[in-house]
Amino acid sequence: MKNYKTIVLSNQEISPGYYRMQILAPGYDAQARAGQFVMFRVQRSLPPLLRRPFGIFRTGFLAPDCDGMPPKEFIEIVYKVVGLGTEIMQDLHQGDQIELLGPLGRGFDLGAPDEDKILVGGGIGLVPLYMLAEKLDNKARSRLLMGGRTRDDIITVTEFERLGVETYVSTEDGSLGEEGLVTQVLERKLQKYPQATVYACGPMPMLDAVQRICANHKAPLQVSLEALMACGVGACLGCVVKGAGHSEETPRYLCTCKQGPVFNAEELDWRQLDEPQQDCGGCR
Ligand code: FES
């Protein structure tokens, strides 16, 4: 894990309100694991002071220059503009300075190559699943279920398809793919592939539904949680969630940034999802 100043290589809108940013990031291709994240801070702005967490979409190398220097490494993040921090980010251009801390957190366990795998992503929750799909050994036994409210929320679909992963799209308004919830598709796929391991990332209500379906089918589930984070390294306790077995008498909290963001479903107390969520939106 390193904290350093670096630069934006590109920053493009890929769907209304969704942007993909490429960042110069030496060392990341060898170090970063699927499901990990970075903390990102814009250099030139005073507000917002805090860093923001973003899942790593992918890592790679730029085409080599003709100067004999080794090729430069980059990471890509994909983000949705939802508040002050991401509004500032959408105006960044090639060469702008930023500060990057990472790679951080616990990533996905890739499992055995001979297992069926089902990846479930809702909206911006698709981001950490790309690197996971890329790293899976047996893509022919992997399926990706993408869900969103409208077609604008279905991002990077052709890149997933290029990896050779079977891809299914559903939207709540029927504007792309099947009309309905991604969890309905999951129910059908688990009937077809009852031994599958499920990986999911997306909004909490979607993860809650995924967890119930997987529990009914006794399917192993790993979830990547989205949380507001201030430090990203386990120091501020701003990102805690309740762990399995939590009670007032024996509190059990887990830091999303350090013990997650990827958890096995049975590590979490799913009752907390019935409690009101605090999310001001303006912090991101
Ligand atoms: Fe500070 Fe997790 S963000 S402890």
XYZ file of all heavy atoms in Angstrom, residues 229-239 255 257, ligand 1:
79
model
N -16.234 6.110 3.521
C -14.955 5.892 4.203
C -14.205 7.205 4.319
O -14.201 7.997 3.375
C -14.088 4.909 3.405
C -14.647 3.518 3.325
S -13.507 2.457 2.422
C -14.521 0.992 2.216
N -13.543 7.405 5.442
C -12.741 8.613 5.617
C -11.249 8.301 5.498
O -10.514 8.987 4.809
C -13.032 9.241 6.965
N -10.793 7.220 6.177
C -9.348 6.952 6.174
C -8.980 5.802 5.227
O -7.929 5.820 4.603
C -8.866 6.648 7.585
S -9.397 5.042 8.212
N -9.802 4.770 5.157
C -9.528 3.627 4.276
C -8.572 2.610 4.845
O -8.279 1.603 4.197
N -8.072 2.847 6.068
C -7.044 1.948 6.610
C -7.363 1.451 8.023
O -6.484 0.995 8.743
C -5.655 2.622 6.602
C -5.173 2.848 5.188
C -5.688 3.943 7.381
N -8.613 1.561 8.434
C -8.985 0.992 9.727
C -8.750 1.913 10.911
O -8.786 1.458 12.053
N -8.528 3.214 10.695
C -8.197 4.112 11.800
C -9.384 4.909 12.336
O -9.433 5.225 13.523
C -7.102 5.086 11.359
N -10.357 5.253 11.489
C -11.404 6.199 11.928
C -12.689 5.515 12.383
O -13.538 6.154 13.002
C -11.728 7.176 10.794
S -12.659 6.434 9.429
N -12.858 4.269 12.063
C -14.064 3.478 12.382
C -15.325 4.064 11.750
O -16.443 3.818 12.208
C -14.243 3.333 13.900
C -13.056 2.726 14.649
C -13.401 2.524 16.110
C -12.636 1.396 14.029
N -15.142 4.834 10.683
C -16.301 5.430 10.007
C -17.037 4.467 9.101
O -18.112 4.790 8.600
N -16.487 3.297 8.877
C -17.050 2.401 7.863
C -17.530 1.088 8.465
O -17.688 0.115 7.733
C -15.991 2.116 6.806
S -14.602 1.172 7.487
N -14.614 -3.512 10.120
C -14.285 -2.351 9.276
C -14.411 -2.769 7.812
O -13.706 -3.685 7.366
C -12.840 -1.894 9.510
S -12.644 -0.878 10.937
N -13.331 -1.167 5.337
C -12.124 -0.834 4.585
C -11.009 -1.847 4.794
O -10.224 -2.095 3.880
C -11.628 0.562 4.949
S -11.067 0.725 6.645
Fe -11.667 4.629 8.483
Fe -12.657 2.312 7.585
S -12.677 4.227 6.616
S -11.845 2.756 9.518
